[in-house]
């Protein structure tokens, strides 16, 4: 099934925002209510990764940012062979 979603205009990623150019954005995967999933390449370890970015900037201590970080921590603990 082909996705008809367009890349979100709200994500204004600059290379300096992506961990000192560690990641190269390869394309857009999907968009949700809080963020967008991007296809990226970790140039340090030469591996393709999925990168989730927030659609709107939030203050570091805001509930939205804390929820986003908590989700990242939980999913970062998952292990799967694929």
């Amino acid at each position: 099934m082909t996705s008809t979603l367009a890349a979100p205009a709200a994500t204004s990623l600059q290379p300096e925002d992506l961990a000192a150019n560690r990641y190269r954005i390869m394309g857009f995967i999907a968009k949700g209510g809080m963020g967008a999933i991007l296809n990226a390449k970790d140039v340090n370890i030469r591996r393709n990764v999925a990168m989730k970015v927030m659609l709107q900037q939030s203050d570091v201590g805001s509930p939205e940012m804390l929820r986003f970080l908590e989700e990242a921590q939980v999913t970062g603990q998952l292990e799967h062979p694929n």
Side-chain angles (χ1 to χ4, degrees), residues 66-81:
L66 295 174
R67 182 173 155 215
F68 186 84
L69 291 173
E70 181 179 20
E71 181 181 313
Q73 291 170 346
V74 169
T75 57
Q77 295 172 14
L78 297 175
E79 292 187 29
H80 193 280

Side-chain angles (χ1 to χ4, degrees), residues 34-49:
M34 179 184 280
I37 309 298
L38 306 175
N39 178 15
K41 181 162 186 124
D42 183 328
V43 296
N44 289 353
I45 60 174
R46 298 181 184 137
R47 179 174 72 170
N48 289 340
V49 296

Side-chain angles (χ1 to χ4, degrees), residues 9-57:
T11 56
S12 58
L13 296 174
Q14 301 298 317
E16 60 271 14
D17 295 336
L18 300 174
N21 297 322
R22 178 175 176 173
Y23 300 98
R24 186 173 63 205
I25 304 303
M26 308 299 286
F28 171 77
I29 297 173
K31 177 183 158 193
M34 179 184 280
I37 309 298
L38 306 175
N39 178 15
K41 181 162 186 124
D42 183 328
V43 296
N44 289 353
I45 60 174
R46 298 181 184 137
R47 179 174 72 170
N48 289 340
V49 296
M51 175 184 291
K52 185 173 184 179
V53 295
M54 291 187 74
L55 293 176
Q56 297 180 13
Q57 289 184 338

